[in-house]
Amino acid sequence: PQRKPVVLKGLELGTCTTKWTVDYLSQAAGSKEVKIHVSAVPQMDFLSKNFVYRTLPFDAFVRRAAEVKHKEYFISEDEKYYLRSVGEDARKDIADIRKQFPILAEDVQIPEFFEKEQFFSSVFRISSAGLQLWTHYDVMDNFLIQVTGKKRVVLYSPRDAPYLYLSGTKSEVLDVDNPDLEKYPLFVKAKRYQCFLEAGDVLFIPALWFHNVISEEFGVALNVFWKHLPAESYDKTDTYGNKDPTAASRALQILDRALKTLEELPEEYRDFYARRMVLRIQQKAYRDDYG
């Protein structure tokens, strides 16, 4: 059976749900510099990169993210902020709240739904009210722990990938509420699942499920990723949990070579053999127990 997302309520998460006010966060994490996304518009687009990266002391960043209008700003007085914590060396080190924000880590009890050695990362996230993140999938199972504030999450099954206009792990359809159907006509076929997270809720997002997140209010969340496949399945250079498993990457490269080989044939033959290849992939690799 297909693994599905689920919202878990009433889990014991530690003191973070009551303690993490703007004042407490500013004081506990202090003026450590953090790299943040700053966007002039609420809908962040990773493909056209409609945001800039800036650095602020953590306490100043938290205060700004909690405001609606800013006296001090980079682009405009109603710009939005987003922090996705990273390791000490963002290219090599994995985000882990215990290392980057040790004082805050003491306030959190991560639900133990996986073995300790499966743990991959714990990503601290803070967003301005109204900020929307692009639709994407991750290759690992994860919990989105909503510590404070509210979020709306729209999800799509991995089965609906053909309708999501993918570019790598990301969908080109930014506005999932009012999609441009002239540009993305197949998007209507994607079945939408939606949930609203309150402070203290935990959303389980299975690997490969697409998700699009709006922060309805200023809020703090912790994302915990773990390896549910054998450890050797994953790309060793993956620090964000979004590189395809190594076997999948190899298979895609082989497919690209096969398609390149087909170019040696005239169009009519190329079309015929491409359709046969699609059929073979469906017969050999598609699951037949999906409804």
Side-chain angles (χ1 to χ4, degrees):
Q2 190 186 19
R3 293 160 354 109
K4 296 222 164 100
V6 63
V7 176
L8 304 164
K9 289 183 172 284
L11 292 180
E12 185 46 65
L13 300 171
T15 54
C16 55
T17 48
T18 47
K19 257 170 114 172
W20 284 8
T21 59
V22 169
D23 286 342
Y24 174 77
L25 290 168
S26 305
Q27 195 186 327
S31 56
K32 163 192 161 101
E33 298 259 293
V34 286
K35 190 176 179 187
I36 51 172
H37 299 69
V38 182
S39 177
V41 294
Q43 256 170 3
M44 283 174 59
D45 179 356
F46 198 80
L47 298 166
S48 74
K49 296 277 194 294
N50 66 346
F51 51 83
V52 293
Y53 291 104
R54 292 289 180 267
T55 306
L56 277 176
F58 184 84
D59 47 6
F61 154 69
V62 173
R63 294 191 182 285
R64 280 209 211 176
E67 310 165 336
V68 176
K69 285 266 187 279
H70 313 294
K71 288 189 184 66
E72 294 180 52
Y73 50 83
F74 296 108
I75 312 170
S76 67
E77 60 176 8
D78 50 5
E79 67 194 14
K80 306 282 183 203
Y81 298 96
Y82 171 59
L83 166 72
R84 183 233 186 261
S85 66
V86 292
E88 278 66 32
D89 177 337
R91 287 187 305 280
K92 292 202 288 282
D93 298 325
I94 284 155
D96 184 344
I97 188 172
R98 292 167 301 192
K99 291 183 184 148
Q100 285 101 42
F101 300 95
I103 296 171
L104 296 178
E106 288 172 20
D107 303 334
V108 185
Q109 192 177 318
I110 290 171
E112 292 185 7
F113 283 82
F114 53 92
E115 302 297 328
K116 279 196 167 43
E117 60 274 9
Q118 289 179 289
F119 171 85
F120 174 71
S121 67
S122 49
V123 180
F124 188 53
R125 297 181 191 272
I126 299 183
S127 3
S128 296
L131 184 87
Q132 183 169 15
L133 278 184
W134 53 87
T135 306
H136 67 284
Y137 71 86
D138 301 294
V139 300
M140 291 183 199
D141 283 355
N142 71 89
F143 278 142
L144 176 56
I145 301 170
Q146 192 60 29
V147 181
T148 68
K150 292 181 182 167
K151 277 202 175 89
R152 181 196 81 174
V153 186
V154 173
L155 300 118
Y156 300 95
S157 157
R159 310 231 31 209
D160 284 343
Y163 316 131
L164 296 179
Y165 297 88
L166 296 188
S167 175
T169 59
K170 301 161 189 75
S171 166
E172 291 178 16
V173 186
L174 279 188
D175 191 341
V176 293
D177 301 300
N178 299 293
D180 178 344
L181 294 177
E182 279 191 7
K183 204 171 174 187
Y184 308 116
L186 295 175
F187 186 69
V188 292
K189 293 187 173 190
K191 183 179 177 186
R192 172 190 180 119
Y193 297 82
Q194 179 170 290
C195 63
F196 291 90
L197 301 180
E198 306 274 338
D201 289 350
V202 176
L203 172 63
F204 167 57
I205 306 176
L208 310 183
W209 273 76
F210 294 89
H211 44 287
N212 177 289
V213 182
I214 286 192
S215 297
E216 306 231 307
E217 308 175 329
F218 162 75
V220 183
L222 185 66
N223 228 181
V224 181
F225 292 85
W226 68 92
K227 301 175 178 184
H228 85 283
L229 302 178
E232 61 276 9
S233 308
Y234 299 99
D235 186 323
K236 296 274 180 291
T237 65
D238 189 1
T239 49
Y240 291 96
N242 61 6
K243 287 192 179 178
D244 292 315
T246 48
S249 301
R250 286 204 312 275
L252 289 167
Q253 286 168 351
I254 294 165
L255 176 63
D256 284 339
R257 287 208 296 277
L259 293 169
K260 191 98 190 102
T261 310
L262 279 187
E263 287 174 13
E264 295 170 22
L265 293 165
E267 191 179 25
E268 194 181 340
Y269 284 77
R270 195 164 66 225
D271 178 274
F272 174 70
Y273 287 103
R275 287 171 197 273
R276 281 193 56 190
M277 282 164 70
V278 169
L279 284 171
R280 187 172 296 188
I281 289 173
Q282 285 176 338
Q283 287 159 358
K284 293 274 188 202
Y286 276 27
R287 283 174 67 163
D288 51 13
D289 60 347
Y290 273 158

